[in-house]
Amino acid sequence: MPHESRSCSVPHSLSRRGFLAGLSAGAAGAGLAACASGAARDLEPGVEVPGDREGEASRLGSEKVPFGGEHQAGIATPFQAHLNLVAFSFRGEADRGAARRLMRLWTEDARRLCEGRAPLGDLEPEMVDAPANLTVTCGFGATFFDIIGRADARPEWLGPLPAFSRDRLDDRWGGADVVLQLCSDDPVTLSHATRHMIRAGVDYVSVRWFQQGFLNSDGTRPDNATPRNLFGQKDGTVNPRTREEFDDIVWIDEGPDWLRGGTALVVRRVAMDLDEWEMLDRTSREVVMGRTLDSGAPLTGEREFDTPDFEATDSYGLPVIDPASHVARSTNPKDAPHQKIRRRAFNYDLPPEPESGQTSNAGLIFICFQKNPLDQFVPIQRRLDEKDRLNQWITHIGSAVFACPPGVADEERGTARNDTGRDAYWGATLLED
Amino acid sequence: MPHESRSCSVPHSLSRRGFLAGLSAGAAGAGLAACASGAARDLEPGVEVPGDREGEASRLGSEKVPFGGEHQAGIATPFQAHLNLVAFSFRGEADRGAARRLMRLWTEDARRLCEGRAPLGDLEPEMVDAPANLTVTCGFGATFFDIIGRADARPEWLGPLPAFSRDRLDDRWGGADVVLQLCSDDPVTLSHATRHMIRAGVDYVSVRWFQQGFLNSDGTRPDNATPRNLFGQKDGTVNPRTREEFDDIVWIDEGPDWLRGGTALVVRRVAMDLDEWEMLDRTSREVVMGRTLDSGAPLTGEREFDTPDFEATDSYGLPVIDPASHVARSTNPKDAPHQKIRRRAFNYDLPPEPESGQTSNAGLIFICFQKNPLDQFVPIQRRLDEKDRLNQWITHIGSAVFACPPGVADEERGTARNDTGRDAYWGATLLED
């Protein structure tokens, strides 16, 4: 089957937005003038013109992220605008056979959805033909290994994280047997794909929790600009970006075969107290973060990606970046260069709980990927838990860890580790007898 | 203050997406080639390139819908991708003075937000600088007129709708003192703007309910293509589009001064049973609707906007469009040409309620605008309530009606009906002593 993606040799973020960057202002102006002289007849400003262009591909809608590969998509993939993170519990007497059947089914269906094709049993091709960079990423929880009778294969880091003193964890956002991370730039596509995956697995698993998040839409910010969280901060400035960085930080390259090329997913649900945060003036907010709000630059720099200078002092001899600021506490120490993670966080904003007296119910679905959470997320979070000015306004209310198997073959065929050397479906090497 | 919108004389839907339509395939291809030879170095497919273009306007982000005008924005405005519909209750001893202060404040803040400027007291200009077609639309509930001591000014149609036999209304989605409809193509902008409006009004009103909805993203479907609901149906094919149609159907042009140029907003929350709907084959789904799923064409036509032919019969002499189908029942009879509405419906898709046993909690936030719901929405809904094949899969669970005052002046100044002949703030003519 030919590979349908348009973006196999180009970072897809460039193909997504590169068109516009190349447009001269003159061309844009001419386009507008043409519109004004034509279709505006009989219409008032803001009134829509009926569209009747069946089957015409749109730009963003037709963008695809390759499904097969050495690693699962949705990890190094640039942020999409929308997230559904769904955790599942196996039903009743599930065993390795059930897990295998589920993974075969899910992998095949996810592949089709990401390629813009309706999975078997999905009678709505119109709901899948605009993948808009859809990715579906699968992870296994600690209990998954008991269900499949392979406790021996469970990574030592897989399980509840060590307790942090400030945690206020709610079990409703806790660990689960298996997780799917679905992301897309179109919320209708995402809704349908999520719905399909839940339904496809209904004989094997039921939903344990469901976290919905969002970021700035594609097209509303410049190419790859770092999205903002609901405190107005650029969120995700420090992230691996090159192949070497991902190899160093994210992709597991030792231990059991079934996990090589995979990674560890940590999800923390972080409530953000907007009511209190907004009491602060901007200077205080910037001191808390150690970065400016506008550009996201460290207080010792001018641009977002400048390296913070924690030694710099002001005219009084005081540090320019407060040692208790979020950037100072979260940056890895020089003697621990491996304490980095791939962040992929999304905002949530729900109606306030009735009777809570609060005006918001918002926060961050903090997702990160790394080789080993005990060596990466945990020491970072321990520093933040001990001291971080931001702690006054945030509370970790959910925590879960999953092991993401490596990517699968580019095509549907064969069994475990087919002739491409890749799994035929998620976890095939682990699940085949 | 100069008017900042770029789209005052062009339907903004064209300015939104017209650029791309004008791009030749050659130019796009050249752009991609340039990307491939350049920035892809050291990156694997899908890895993002850091963006560092502070202050560079993006296309969709900088799009604005004019705030001032004869009518409020957000009614004739083409669909944006995201909706927050927030209903409020006045606190304690509110009176006309409180309502007046709230409306002055809200109008000014909404204007600034829609123009991409931070309202007073909002310290986060970075969160408002990409309006992405943000609109904020205000409506008054029946009880609003008691609070302001103007029961005499309450439109006779404003109040709970007549009961329909199939309604299963939950008071948690019922009528309220006042409502704000906020829509944007960027979910972060929308979240921040909603948050700001709730906070700005906090001395006067508290949130009664909060409905969040979405449609296909801008950029994921062709120009103005009708968006799809979660049954996969094109939703909104039949809608007024010309100035004459809006004048006939939507804008109130008689009765009290304060409401001329305004309209009536009806919101119905409609639960959709995806589990049962998906048991149907495609043919049955199309019979239920009387339209095809792919193009949305009536079963007697070929294209979405073809007029249904309810007289057409097949080779057995049976009607091609089932008289009990949704399109047959919802189309206005020839002797009642006024039974039309401006539809502006958004999908919702929430995590299933725990213990419900269902795999979905989805539906439609059905918003419509008209001169008089008793003459327009109600007779249409009465026909549907009596007989509509679709009823088997949908349930109306919420209902509320609001009176939307006309638009306001283009600039902030003056009091009621300033020299432009328009209100200085929402409801000024009603609220000034």
Side-chain angles (χ1 to χ4, degrees):
Chain A
M1 185 165 308
H3 190 56
E4 296 179 10
S5 169
R6 298 181 178 181
S7 51
C8 13
S9 62
V10 187
H12 95 275
S13 51
L14 288 178
S15 65
R16 276 210 274 170
R17 305 203 195 95
F19 291 11
L20 290 162
L23 246 187
S24 77
L32 279 175
C35 296
S37 64
R41 241 190 338 252
D42 289 329
L43 295 173
E44 63 188 306
V47 173
E48 71 202 89
V49 183
D52 194 12
R53 310 187 189 181
E54 301 309 336
E56 181 178 324
S58 67
R59 178 188 61 100
L60 179 58
S62 60
E63 289 290 336
K64 296 177 187 124
V65 179
F67 182 77
E70 188 178 353
H71 314 295
Q72 286 193 68
I75 298 168
T77 308
F79 305 114
Q80 298 100 325
H82 299 282
L83 162 79
N84 278 346
L85 187 70
V86 192
F88 298 86
S89 302
F90 272 91
R91 298 180 188 278
E93 300 298 298
D95 58 10
R96 194 184 310 173
R100 190 189 306 128
R101 289 191 295 278
L102 175 64
M103 289 301 145
R104 278 189 179 280
L105 186 68
W106 265 359
T107 306
E108 181 177 331
D109 286 5
R111 179 194 301 279
R112 286 174 177 248
L113 289 165
C114 294
E115 291 174 352
R117 298 183 294 141
L120 296 178
D122 181 337
L123 303 181
E124 298 176 299
E126 303 84 6
M127 296 294 271
V128 306
D129 65 3
N133 296 307
L134 177 68
T135 55
V136 184
T137 313
C138 182
F140 305 144
T143 45
F144 183 83
F145 294 82
D146 300 317
I147 290 163
I148 64 169
R150 287 294 309 272
D152 62 296
R154 181 165 38 221
E156 42 92 31
W157 47 258
L158 184 57
L161 295 178
F164 300 100
S165 68
R166 306 184 60 92
D167 282 357
R168 297 293 176 270
L169 302 183
D170 185 336
D171 184 56
R172 70 197 263 217
W173 309 116
D177 296 337
V178 58
V179 75
L180 293 178
Q181 175 200 260
L182 296 100
C183 300
S184 172
D185 282 307
D186 188 294
V188 176
T189 296
L190 181 65
S191 170
H192 181 81
T194 304
R195 163 89 188 138
H196 178 85
M197 295 298 284
I198 291 173
R199 194 183 44 161
V202 77
D203 288 342
Y204 304 100
V205 286
S206 61
V207 173
R208 162 139 160 61
W209 51 247
F210 193 154
Q211 303 195 44
Q212 298 182 297
F214 59 91
L215 293 174
N216 299 104
S217 286
D218 181 277
T220 63
R221 54 192 163 102
D223 266 13
N224 285 310
T226 309
R228 291 187 186 272
N229 66 29
L230 299 179
F231 279 173
Q233 301 153 353
K234 291 202 174 185
D235 206 314
T237 297
V238 177
N239 244 340
R241 287 184 172 86
T242 65
R243 181 189 294 272
E244 287 70 27
E245 289 176 295
F246 272 88
D247 284 345
D248 283 348
I249 297 168
V250 177
W251 308 124
I252 293 170
D253 53 6
E254 54 185 25
D257 258 11
W258 77 267
L259 193 50
R260 291 197 192 187
T263 185
L265 183 170
V266 171
V267 52
R268 304 280 288 186
R269 192 167 176 92
V270 183
M272 293 163 53
D273 188 340
L274 294 179
D275 291 340
E276 291 295 322
W277 175 256
E278 287 165 359
M279 310 280 277
L280 291 181
D281 59 31
R282 275 178 76 91
T283 305
S284 302
R285 297 182 199 185
E286 293 180 339
V287 168
V288 166
M289 290 306 297
R291 290 183 176 276
T292 63
L293 283 166
D294 58 353
S295 69
L299 296 182
T300 53
E302 297 194 347
R303 293 158 66 91
E304 180 184 356
F305 296 98
D306 290 349
T307 303
D309 177 0
F310 298 115
E311 312 302 322
T313 53
D314 64 16
S315 56
Y316 301 100
L318 298 171
V320 176
I321 297 178
D322 185 326
S325 66
H326 187 70
V327 69
R329 298 296 296 172
S330 59
T331 299
N332 60 312
K334 287 201 173 62
D335 60 355
H338 63 281
Q339 289 181 11
K340 293 181 180 171
I341 51 179
R342 159 64 170 168
R343 303 179 52 134
R344 216 160 182 284
F346 290 79
N347 305 308
Y348 72 85
D349 182 13
L350 298 171
E353 305 271 354
E355 316 302 329
S356 69
Q358 294 206 306
T359 62
S360 74
N361 178 9
L364 201 64
I365 303 166
F366 180 93
I367 295 171
C368 68
F369 298 95
Q370 63 248 281
K371 289 177 192 242
N372 185 332
L374 301 179
D375 294 338
Q376 295 172 270
F377 175 79
V378 168
I380 299 169
Q381 182 57 25
R382 193 167 284 140
R383 286 198 305 273
L384 296 174
D385 185 60
E386 280 168 12
K387 187 164 66 174
D388 172 6
R389 287 203 179 277
L390 194 58
N391 285 339
Q392 190 170 339
W393 299 275
I394 65 174
T395 310
H396 287 237
I397 60 174
S399 181
V401 183
F402 301 93
C404 299
V408 295
D410 289 333
E411 299 178 28
E412 288 164 35
R413 64 194 160 92
T415 55
R417 299 279 165 173
N418 65 22
D419 52 18
T420 66
R422 296 197 184 132
D423 281 344
Y425 59 90
W426 290 322
T429 303
L430 177 68
L431 293 164
E432 296 287 329
D433 285 313
Chain B
M1 188 163 305
H3 190 55
E4 296 178 10
S5 170
R6 298 181 178 180
S7 51
C8 14
S9 61
V10 187
H12 96 272
S13 51
L14 288 178
S15 66
R16 275 208 276 171
R17 305 201 196 96
F19 292 10
L20 289 161
L23 244 190
S24 77
L32 278 176
C35 295
S37 64
R41 243 191 335 253
D42 290 326
L43 295 173
E44 63 189 308
V47 174
E48 69 201 88
V49 182
D52 195 13
R53 309 189 190 182
E54 302 307 338
E56 182 178 324
S58 66
R59 180 186 61 100
L60 179 58
S62 60
E63 289 291 334
K64 296 176 187 127
V65 179
F67 182 77
E70 189 178 353
H71 314 294
Q72 286 193 68
I75 298 168
T77 308
F79 306 114
Q80 298 101 323
H82 300 281
L83 162 79
N84 277 345
L85 187 69
V86 192
F88 297 86
S89 303
F90 272 92
R91 297 181 188 277
E93 300 298 298
D95 58 10
R96 194 183 310 171
R100 192 190 305 128
R101 289 191 295 278
L102 175 63
M103 288 302 147
R104 277 188 180 280
L105 186 69
W106 265 359
T107 306
E108 181 179 330
D109 286 4
R111 180 195 301 279
R112 286 174 177 247
L113 289 165
C114 294
E115 291 174 352
R117 296 184 293 141
L120 296 177
D122 182 337
L123 303 182
E124 297 175 299
E126 302 85 6
M127 297 294 272
V128 306
D129 66 1
N133 296 307
L134 177 68
T135 55
V136 184
T137 314
C138 181
F140 305 145
T143 45
F144 183 82
F145 294 83
D146 302 316
I147 289 162
I148 64 168
R150 289 293 311 272
D152 63 294
R154 180 165 40 220
E156 43 90 32
W157 47 259
L158 183 57
L161 296 177
F164 301 100
S165 69
R166 306 184 59 91
D167 282 356
R168 297 293 177 271
L169 302 184
D170 185 335
D171 184 56
R172 72 196 262 216
W173 309 115
D177 297 335
V178 58
V179 74
L180 293 178
Q181 176 201 261
L182 297 100
C183 300
S184 172
D185 283 307
D186 187 294
V188 176
T189 296
L190 181 65
S191 170
H192 181 81
T194 304
R195 161 90 189 138
H196 178 86
M197 295 298 282
I198 291 173
R199 194 184 44 160
V202 77
D203 288 342
Y204 305 99
V205 288
S206 61
V207 173
R208 164 140 160 60
W209 49 247
F210 193 153
Q211 304 196 43
Q212 299 180 297
F214 59 90
L215 293 174
N216 299 103
S217 287
D218 180 277
T220 63
R221 54 193 164 101
D223 268 11
N224 285 311
T226 309
R228 291 186 186 273
N229 65 29
L230 298 179
F231 281 173
Q233 301 153 354
K234 290 201 174 187
D235 205 313
T237 298
V238 177
N239 244 339
R241 287 184 173 87
T242 66
R243 180 190 295 274
E244 288 70 27
E245 289 176 296
F246 271 88
D247 284 345
D248 284 349
I249 297 168
V250 177
W251 308 126
I252 293 169
D253 53 4
E254 55 186 23
D257 259 10
W258 77 266
L259 194 49
R260 290 198 193 185
T263 185
L265 183 168
V266 171
V267 53
R268 305 279 289 184
R269 192 169 177 92
V270 183
M272 293 163 53
D273 188 340
L274 294 179
D275 290 339
E276 290 295 321
W277 176 256
E278 287 164 0
M279 309 281 277
L280 292 180
D281 60 32
R282 274 179 76 92
T283 305
S284 302
R285 297 181 199 186
E286 293 180 339
V287 168
V288 166
M289 289 306 297
R291 291 183 177 276
T292 62
L293 282 167
D294 57 353
S295 69
L299 296 182
T300 55
E302 298 195 343
R303 293 159 65 92
E304 179 183 355
F305 296 98
D306 289 349
T307 303
D309 177 0
F310 298 114
E311 312 301 322
T313 52
D314 64 16
S315 56
Y316 301 100
L318 298 170
V320 176
I321 297 179
D322 185 328
S325 66
H326 186 70
V327 69
R329 297 296 296 169
S330 59
T331 300
N332 60 312
K334 286 201 176 59
D335 60 357
H338 63 281
Q339 289 181 11
K340 292 181 180 170
I341 52 179
R342 159 63 171 168
R343 302 178 52 135
R344 215 161 182 284
F346 290 79
N347 305 309
Y348 74 84
D349 182 12
L350 298 171
E353 306 270 354
E355 316 301 329
S356 69
Q358 294 207 306
T359 63
S360 74
N361 177 10
L364 201 64
I365 303 166
F366 180 92
I367 294 171
C368 68
F369 298 95
Q370 62 250 281
K371 290 176 192 245
N372 185 330
L374 301 178
D375 294 339
Q376 295 172 269
F377 175 78
V378 168
I380 299 169
Q381 182 57 25
R382 194 166 282 138
R383 286 200 304 275
L384 296 174
D385 185 61
E386 280 166 14
K387 187 165 65 176
D388 173 5
R389 286 203 180 278
L390 194 59
N391 285 338
Q392 191 171 337
W393 298 274
I394 65 173
T395 309
H396 287 238
I397 60 172
S399 180
V401 184
F402 301 93
C404 299
V408 295
D410 288 333
E411 298 178 27
E412 288 165 36
R413 63 194 161 94
T415 55
R417 298 280 167 178
N418 64 24
D419 53 18
T420 66
R422 294 195 185 133
D423 282 343
Y425 60 91
W426 289 323
T429 304
L430 177 67
L431 293 165
E432 296 287 329
D433 284 313

